[in-house]
Amino acid sequence: VSVLYWSMPCLRLDAHPPVSEAELPEAVAREWVAGPDGKMRRRVDNAAPAAKSHRAEAAAQPAAPQPSTALVVAGGAGGASSSRALTVNQAAVAASEAAVAKLQKAKSSSAAEMAAFNAAFTRAKPTKLFQKSPVPAESEGGVPVAPASDDRSPAEAKKAPDTAKGPARAPSPVVELDPAVDHLGRGFIHCSTEAARGGARRAAPPTKLVHVFRGHSAGVQALAWFPGTAHLLLSCDLQGEVMLWDVLGHRRRVARYHGHDAPVRSISFAADGLKLSTSCANGFVREWDTETGQVINTFASRGNVAIGQHAYHPAATRMHSIFVGAGNAVTQYDTRAAPTTVARDYEAHNEPVIHLGFLDNHHFATTSEDKTMRTWDVDSSVTVQDFAGAARHASPHFAVCPATGKIAAQGLDNKVRFFTPLKSPGKYREVADRVCSGHSVSGSSCKVAFSPDGQFVSSGDVKGELHVWNAETTEPVKHFRAHSKPLNAHLWHPTDMAKVVTAGWDGAIKMFVAA
């Protein structure tokens, strides 16, 4: 009778009894090590008393007595007789059978323990070392977003396009509104009759500081008036904050819109002022309800390319159109569709668009890092005119005079150049002998502005100064230091022409008036 035995090839359960799930992580760290081939093996502790395996235990047991067999051969008929005697040790056979049964029982018991141990071990093993947990895909506005983990090798990731990781996501919006209302229950968006009447009807250079609006903790990038009455002022900064200020009444902040985690470079009001839009450096555009702060729409530029400038169409009948300058092109988006759809592309620049602005309801202009300025037909995507030349400098900003339609373009060569409109729509002529200078804007995005009556043109500079020139003769009229850091944005009030608001990278917004 053969005696069979069984032993575990790796897990010596008799030497290391199973542990509970609560004790398993510590037990794994104590008893498992990585072998030379990278596979996990059970640690053998030489200091511990040597444990005997089933094989060693079987070898140590005394050998069972074998049954004795005696063969007696006797002769046959020739006097030789044959006899066979078989003596079997019944006690030895019984002992062998008992040993086999014991080993089979141990085998089944050890298999059950091994299965339980492996199940617990699989549940408790660290994710990064042994397995990768599936990460459910998230979504933003119905668009699936790839999980943060990446199974690709560094070489594959380098070859693959950035879109393989999915689009970026805009942060959740945070809005703070002033709950104050007037005696009729109207909120901050309503302009009182007194404020709507306006002030000075003739522009004059500002000389006196009357108020400082504080709230931004980073450099202010842009300013925008509430359409028509200009009783509210919108501002944005390098930390993604957008704030709305009451400038004619109590002179306080009435709303704060936070929906970007990158610098907000551009802000715009719709023609009726009931909606506003913001865009940031990571390619997102958000449309807000001005009074309630509700996010109406969120969309991104193609490939989440940084946005240089965006603007609503100025016509009240086309407020659903938002023009976004991102990369080398301008894209017109139709916000009536869900999701927002591309209505038209305007492509001709060889470098990223820096600024765009409307000339009238049918034409707009753009400047680019390719040192050109172009005018476009809104409805045909055709370039009407372009100004280019080897001697030209890039223009980070331009302004359109509301009284004459003249364009004043800021140049990185520290000069402001003028373009006068021709009879043909969308075409201009550069006034070569009229240039404003004396300020320093190299390497910045300091903006230029016209007074509402077209009498003056002004610009900030990197020293925090405001420069004012006569728009007709280009002679300097006044300059003074308004901010401790670069004066990036400023605006003349459209109805009270003696007021000018300025904003700098010191985070302050200041209001000046003529003495």
Side-chain angles (χ1 to χ4, degrees):
V1 178
S2 299
V3 179
L4 303 177
Y5 59 86
W6 175 88
S7 67
M8 296 177 62
C10 180
L11 300 179
R12 296 164 54 182
L13 297 178
D14 55 333
H16 301 273
V19 296
S20 65
E21 278 193 57
E23 301 172 340
L24 186 59
E26 180 180 356
V28 170
R30 185 179 65 248
E31 298 182 10
W32 285 85
V33 294
D37 56 355
K39 296 181 179 180
M40 302 300 293
R41 288 185 171 83
R42 200 68 169 269
R43 184 192 301 274
V44 177
D45 192 352
N46 295 327
K52 297 180 180 180
S53 65
H54 288 292
R55 184 188 302 274
E57 184 176 327
Q61 290 181 355
Q66 298 296 322
S68 58
T69 302
L71 295 179
V72 179
V73 180
S81 62
S82 300
S83 65
R84 176 177 298 178
L86 179 61
T87 305
V88 179
N89 191 334
Q90 299 294 336
V93 172
S96 297
E97 292 177 350
V100 171
K102 180 179 179 180
L103 290 176
Q104 289 178 343
K105 181 178 180 181
K107 177 180 177 181
S108 60
S109 176
S110 298
E113 292 176 352
M114 180 178 177
F117 181 85
N118 287 339
F121 185 77
T122 302
R123 290 193 300 271
K125 59 188 177 182
T127 300
K128 291 185 179 179
L129 181 61
F130 294 96
Q131 66 181 3
K132 187 162 188 168
S133 300
V135 181
E138 300 179 9
S139 62
E140 174 72 18
V143 179
V145 179
S149 58
D150 196 345
D151 292 331
R152 300 173 296 172
S153 66
E156 292 173 342
K158 186 175 181 180
K159 294 179 181 178
D162 294 340
T163 53
K165 295 183 179 180
R169 289 173 289 168
S172 299
V174 177
V175 179
E176 297 176 3
L177 302 174
D178 188 344
V181 295
D182 61 10
H183 64 288
L184 296 177
R186 297 173 298 190
F188 59 81
I189 201 171
H190 173 74
C191 180
S192 64
T193 305
E194 293 77 9
R197 290 174 181 171
R201 297 298 179 182
R202 183 175 177 82
T207 57
K208 181 181 179 181
L209 175 65
V210 294
H211 192 73
V212 179
F213 299 90
R214 300 191 183 277
H216 287 287
S217 57
V220 180
Q221 288 283 87
L223 300 172
W225 289 117
F226 188 88
T229 58
H231 67 293
L232 300 175
L233 178 70
L234 190 65
S235 61
C236 61
D237 67 21
L238 293 170
Q239 286 189 345
E241 296 281 355
V242 178
M243 299 184 184
L244 190 63
W245 309 86
D246 178 0
V247 296
L248 298 183
H250 299 284
R251 295 180 179 175
R252 66 179 187 275
R253 188 181 74 185
V254 294
R256 168 180 170 264
Y257 314 89
H258 181 74
H260 300 280
D261 55 4
V264 176
R265 297 178 176 178
S266 176
I267 49 180
S268 179
F269 273 111
D272 59 1
L274 300 181
K275 296 186 297 183
L276 63 90
S277 56
T278 60
S279 64
C280 66
N282 62 7
F284 277 101
V285 178
R286 274 197 154 155
E287 192 175 22
W288 310 74
D289 183 293
T290 305
E291 188 169 18
T292 66
Q294 179 183 0
V295 176
I296 303 172
N297 204 354
T298 300
F299 60 94
S301 62
R302 289 192 178 111
N304 289 101
V305 178
I307 296 173
Q309 182 75 22
H310 84 281
Y312 280 102
H313 192 286
T317 57
R318 297 188 63 175
M319 292 185 297
H320 56 272
S321 296
I322 298 180
F323 292 71
V324 177
N328 299 358
V330 175
T331 303
Q332 179 188 165
Y333 292 90
D334 188 341
T335 61
R336 294 174 297 181
T340 298
T341 59
V342 174
R344 197 179 298 273
D345 286 316
Y346 307 83
E347 299 175 321
H349 287 293
N350 298 320
E351 296 291 339
V353 174
I354 304 175
H355 185 69
L356 72 86
F358 276 85
L359 308 174
D360 52 48
N361 288 348
H362 304 286
H363 301 88
F364 68 92
T366 58
T367 58
S368 167
E369 292 180 8
D370 61 9
K371 302 180 182 180
T372 64
M373 182 174 76
R374 297 176 182 271
T375 61
W376 305 79
D377 183 274
V378 171
D379 299 317
S380 66
S381 301
V382 174
T383 300
V384 178
Q385 188 178 16
D386 67 280
F387 296 90
R392 296 189 64 85
H393 292 261
S395 179
H397 186 262
F398 64 83
V400 181
C401 179
T404 63
K406 185 187 298 185
I407 296 177
Q410 182 82 274
L412 291 181
D413 58 346
N414 303 322
K415 294 179 180 179
V416 178
R417 291 176 171 82
F418 296 91
F419 301 82
T420 58
L422 302 177
K423 292 182 178 181
S424 180
K427 289 194 174 183
Y428 287 75
R429 177 180 62 86
E430 183 175 0
V431 184
D433 58 343
R434 292 287 187 268
V435 176
C436 296
S437 60
H439 61 311
S440 177
V441 296
S442 296
S444 72
S445 58
C446 295
K447 296 174 175 56
V448 64
F450 275 104
S451 62
D453 58 1
Q455 183 180 356
F456 301 102
V457 64
S458 55
S459 173
D461 75 358
V462 295
K463 299 177 183 178
E465 295 182 345
L466 180 67
H467 293 254
V468 181
W469 298 273
N470 184 296
E472 188 63 31
T473 65
T474 67
E475 292 294 326
V477 176
K478 187 177 184 60
H479 78 274
F480 60 94
R481 186 166 188 177
H483 294 267
S484 59
K485 293 184 178 180
L487 196 163
N488 197 54
H490 73 286
L491 293 173
W492 294 72
H493 197 278
T495 58
D496 189 352
M497 299 185 190
K499 287 183 179 177
V500 176
V501 290
T502 64
W505 279 10
D506 54 5
I509 299 174
K510 299 182 179 181
M511 181 185 292
F512 295 88
V513 298

